[in-house]
Amino acid sequence: MSAIEFNQVVKHYGQFQALKSVSFNVEEGDFFALLGPNGAGKTTLISILGGLAHATSGAVRIMGHDVATDYRNARRAVGIVPQELVFDPFFNVRETLQFQSGYFGLKKNDDWIDEILASLGLTDKAHSNMRALSGGMKRRVMVAQALVHKPPVIVLDEPTAGVDVELRQTLWQFIRRLNQQGSTIVLTTHYLEEAEELCNRIAMLKQGQLIALEDKATLLNKGKSRTLRIKLLDGTLPASLQPLVITQAGQQYDLKLSDVAALDDLLAQIKQAGVTLRDIEVNKPDLEDIFVETMHGTAA
Amino acid sequence: MQGFQTLFYKELLRFWKVSFQTVLAPILTASLYLLIFAHVLDSHVQPYPGVRYTAFLIPGLAMMSMLQNAFSNTSSSIIQSKITGNLVFILLPPLSHLEFFAAYVLAAVVRGIIVGLGVLLVTLVFAIPPVQHPLWVLVFALMGCAAMAILGLIAGIWADKFDQLAAFQNFLIMPLTFLSGVFYSIHSLPPFWQAVSNWNPVFYIIDGFRFGFFGVADVSPWLALSVSGAALFALALLGYQLIKSGYKLRH
Ligand SMILES: Nc1ncnc2c1ncn2[C@@H]1O[C@H](COP(=O)(O)OP(=O)(O)O)[C@@H](O)[C@H]1O
Ligand SMILES: [Mg+2]
């Protein structure tokens, strides 16, 4: 059984089609990144997962429970941190978490609440009113709220957008530990290095369609383009190569190669121009490069 | 069950923490109405033989306050959570449709009853209405509060902005309550307005409630019970269906 199954999920907002038949699975124990530019449909997909939106057609299951027909079991199995920063100004931090526990049917949850507070660096804010917290602190409380019922599946929708470095570190440390203890994690983020560092599987959405779904390692190997860094001993770069230049610093050039095969031709042109190389270095693309390539439809 | 209890308790706290506005203010308003109307009209009007106008007015005012506050509790709670966005924290947990519905409605009923008791208590200073049939009093109080709480729930779900809610309140709730015989017996109205009042469910709620006090009213308490009950049932069905379908709550 997969932790999450998206099966031909379509979502219309009036005439607008936000999701165009999206299908993929997230397996138990995955640390899964859902990437895509603004408006790609990531939040819509997560909203359908949490029952905040209804799919126009298609089915979604969490730990085998359909989010529409078996919504109570589906919701018990997932903890969602929404993208928008929201809070109830009525309560302090501990009350917020106690009420959230109650909504999930848990009466005595204070031991676990204490543990979450400690892990997210919120212990000394436990009695602060929500209104009095900074944005970063409110975000931590939202993460805590999603975890009160110890869900096997945890979904974070851009949890680190506009948040300080300290929170990012505290948060990922904690989430990583939960993943190691068996929780399935899904996150959307704009910080690709975060996805690259944390996740084992990556999906990319564009305009409501799934355009890539791979293990991170496979995806990273897939990027065909290379960055070539050369340092010239003398002379100037042939004019024919100028269009490939990404950056230049003195005699050092970074060039974009569409693939490894283009290297032969490039070296030949340099030789022909009578320029001598002092140094050369070929670099594989990182996730960000692949992301850009994929979004522009140039990847294999 | 725990989910229902928690949401119910949260909704109680929500108004109780600001009880100055949500409980004391409406009691004060009702007392002022009574003070002024009773002063002006007590010696001139006798709605039923042997019933002083002040005594007649008290149940009507109490019921009007109950209805308005029950409506206000659900509608303002829902629209505030919708607009600030924190309704997600209630939409994400596995609360059943019935738990959601019942928690909001019952908390609003509690507020309505507290306000109603408060109004009755304060107005005892002016006149003591008899309580002929306490059971009728209780039944109509509960039904009236529940009906308006559900109407508030529906209005809160439907409205996207505060001014839409205000329009609902000003153009539907206010006329329904004011044209229901709070301040007068409808037998004192011209025939046309009597006929109009006969179509107003709130009239039956207030009339039945008043019957509980005086043992006399404009219509039979059984008729009042039937009409109020039917209205309550229809509203409950509609409110529950809205929550079940996710109308304006789940996109
Ligand atoms: N409630 C809504 N009504 C109408 N359009 C919406 C609604 N929610 C999202 N959209 C549209 O759906 C598209 C996908 O949005 P979203 O899922 O928020 O994207 P992402 O999270 O990937 O940035 C966007 O074009 C957005 O404008
Ligand atoms: Mg989004």
Side-chain angles (χ1 to χ4, degrees):
Chain A
M1 182 182 65
S2 300
I4 307 175
E5 295 167 43
F6 291 105
N7 194 355
Q8 299 181 8
V9 178
V10 174
K11 177 63 182 175
H12 294 266
Y13 290 114
Q15 291 295 307
F16 179 73
Q17 202 170 9
L19 294 173
K20 302 164 187 162
S21 194
V22 173
S23 301
F24 67 92
N25 290 359
V26 177
E27 302 305 327
E28 275 187 71
D30 270 355
F31 205 130
F32 193 101
L34 186 57
L35 307 179
N38 272 331
K42 305 180 295 294
T43 298
T44 302
L45 205 56
I46 291 173
S47 299
I48 293 171
L49 192 70
L52 298 175
H54 296 307
T56 307
S57 65
V60 180
R61 269 187 280 279
I62 307 170
M63 303 303 281
H65 305 291
D66 189 287
V67 298
T69 56
D70 189 10
Y71 69 97
R72 300 192 74 184
N73 283 320
R75 285 183 207 161
R76 276 186 197 106
V78 65
I80 293 181
V81 185
Q83 180 179 348
E84 298 291 330
L85 193 63
V86 291
F87 62 98
D88 194 330
F90 223 70
F91 297 121
N92 70 33
V93 173
R94 179 174 290 280
E95 286 167 343
T96 300
L97 298 180
Q98 284 168 337
F99 275 88
Q100 205 62 28
S101 303
Y103 299 149
F104 278 93
L106 306 166
K107 207 166 192 166
K108 299 245 179 299
N109 202 25
D110 282 297
D111 291 344
W112 176 233
I113 288 175
D114 286 336
E115 203 178 321
I116 308 175
L117 288 175
S119 305
L120 287 168
L122 282 168
T123 305
D124 56 345
K125 300 280 181 204
H127 298 286
S128 305
N129 184 280
M130 289 301 297
R131 257 188 308 234
L133 299 184
S134 67
M137 285 293 168
K138 286 189 183 111
R139 180 68 70 181
R140 292 182 201 210
V141 178
M142 286 181 68
V143 174
Q145 278 176 277
L147 300 177
V148 289
H149 57 300
K150 298 189 183 171
V153 181
I154 300 162
V155 181
L156 306 111
D157 196 356
E158 295 192 31
T160 49
V163 141
D164 54 282
V165 180
E166 195 199 333
L167 166 58
R168 286 164 74 173
Q169 281 167 355
T170 321
L171 177 64
W172 293 135
Q173 212 175 14
F174 184 35
I175 298 294
R176 209 172 221 163
R177 197 172 84 222
L178 293 173
N179 180 240
Q180 278 155 6
Q181 290 165 359
S183 300
T184 306
I185 316 287
V186 176
L187 75 97
T188 76
T189 176
H190 275 157
Y191 300 102
L192 294 172
E193 66 273 26
E194 259 175 15
E196 188 169 348
E197 191 187 324
L198 295 162
C199 299
N200 68 313
R201 240 173 119 66
I202 290 171
M204 291 189 190
L205 271 185
K206 183 185 176 184
Q207 293 174 1
Q209 276 175 312
L210 190 72
I211 55 168
L213 174 66
E214 302 280 3
D215 283 344
K216 179 178 66 187
T218 318
L219 193 65
L220 284 174
N221 280 330
K222 233 184 180 179
K224 287 190 304 179
S225 73
R226 296 291 182 269
T227 315
L228 182 70
R229 171 167 290 184
I230 52 174
K231 283 181 191 160
L232 306 185
L233 200 57
D234 51 39
T236 52
L237 199 69
S240 58
L241 297 181
Q242 283 296 343
L244 301 179
V245 175
I246 309 165
T247 54
Q248 181 194 355
Q251 290 291 79
Q252 176 179 302
Y253 297 84
D254 282 350
L255 304 177
K256 184 84 179 167
L257 294 185
S258 56
D259 53 33
V260 179
L263 191 59
D264 272 349
D265 183 46
L266 182 135
L267 291 175
Q269 288 189 51
I270 287 177
K271 196 172 174 190
Q272 204 172 19
V275 179
T276 321
L277 290 179
R278 194 172 67 176
D279 198 2
I280 182 163
E281 189 185 318
V282 183
N283 288 309
K284 278 187 151 190
D286 61 12
L287 190 58
E288 183 153 359
D289 302 321
I290 296 173
F291 181 75
V292 171
E293 271 179 36
T294 311
M295 288 304 158
H296 290 100
T298 53
Chain B
M1 203 45 206
Q2 187 62 36
F4 161 78
Q5 282 172 24
T6 308
L7 187 55
F8 176 58
Y9 179 55
K10 190 211 113 178
E11 281 299 290
L12 289 182
L13 269 187
R14 202 192 67 85
F15 78 80
W16 194 247
K17 276 198 184 177
V18 286
S19 52
F20 208 76
Q21 300 162 41
T22 55
V23 177
L24 288 182
I27 293 174
L28 178 68
T29 308
S31 312
L32 288 175
Y33 270 119
L34 192 76
L35 190 67
I36 289 158
F37 281 93
H39 173 71
V40 176
L41 297 173
D42 204 24
S43 50
H44 307 293
V45 185
Q46 205 172 53
Y48 303 124
V51 176
R52 276 173 58 202
Y53 182 69
T54 312
F56 171 86
L57 191 56
I58 288 171
L61 273 177
M63 182 53 96
M64 192 173 81
S65 308
M66 287 193 272
L67 299 180
Q68 285 175 351
N69 281 280
F71 177 87
S72 173
N73 206 64
T74 37
S75 59
S76 61
S77 176
I78 295 272
I79 197 163
Q80 273 173 20
S81 312
K82 250 179 26 172
I83 286 175
T84 58
N86 62 37
L87 196 66
V88 288
F89 298 127
I90 291 165
L91 295 176
L92 287 172
L95 293 163
S96 71
H97 308 308
L98 187 62
E99 284 178 313
F100 187 107
F101 177 81
Y104 275 99
V105 171
L106 290 181
V109 169
V110 171
R111 170 162 158 201
I113 297 293
I114 292 175
V115 169
L117 281 175
V119 171
L120 285 179
L121 217 63
V122 171
T123 51
L124 291 184
V125 176
F126 301 97
I128 302 177
V131 183
Q132 303 276 359
H133 309 290
L135 204 59
W136 280 124
V137 170
L138 187 67
V139 164
F140 282 101
L142 290 174
M143 288 210 316
C145 289
M148 280 298 176
I150 297 169
L151 203 55
L153 187 79
I154 294 168
I157 290 174
W158 165 78
D160 300 314
K161 294 180 257 162
F162 283 106
D163 53 346
Q164 286 176 330
L165 187 60
F168 199 98
Q169 212 152 6
N170 292 330
F171 293 98
L172 190 69
I173 304 302
M174 286 301 268
L176 278 181
T177 46
F178 272 83
L179 300 177
S180 63
V182 173
F183 298 112
Y184 48 81
S185 156
I186 63 158
H187 284 141
S188 61
L189 289 177
F192 172 76
W193 288 107
Q194 271 192 43
V196 170
S197 298
N198 279 325
W199 288 96
N200 178 359
V202 182
F203 157 72
Y204 293 90
I205 292 171
I206 289 181
D207 200 63
F209 188 61
R210 200 173 267 138
F211 177 86
F213 284 89
F214 303 114
V216 277
D218 290 339
V219 300
S220 128
W222 294 104
L223 175 63
L225 182 70
S226 313
V227 176
S228 316
L232 177 60
F233 182 74
L235 284 170
L237 215 60
L238 176 61
Y240 181 78
Q241 279 305 321
L242 287 186
I243 287 168
K244 194 173 169 197
S245 72
Y247 174 76
K248 290 217 181 178
L249 295 178
R250 303 178 192 272
H251 298 285

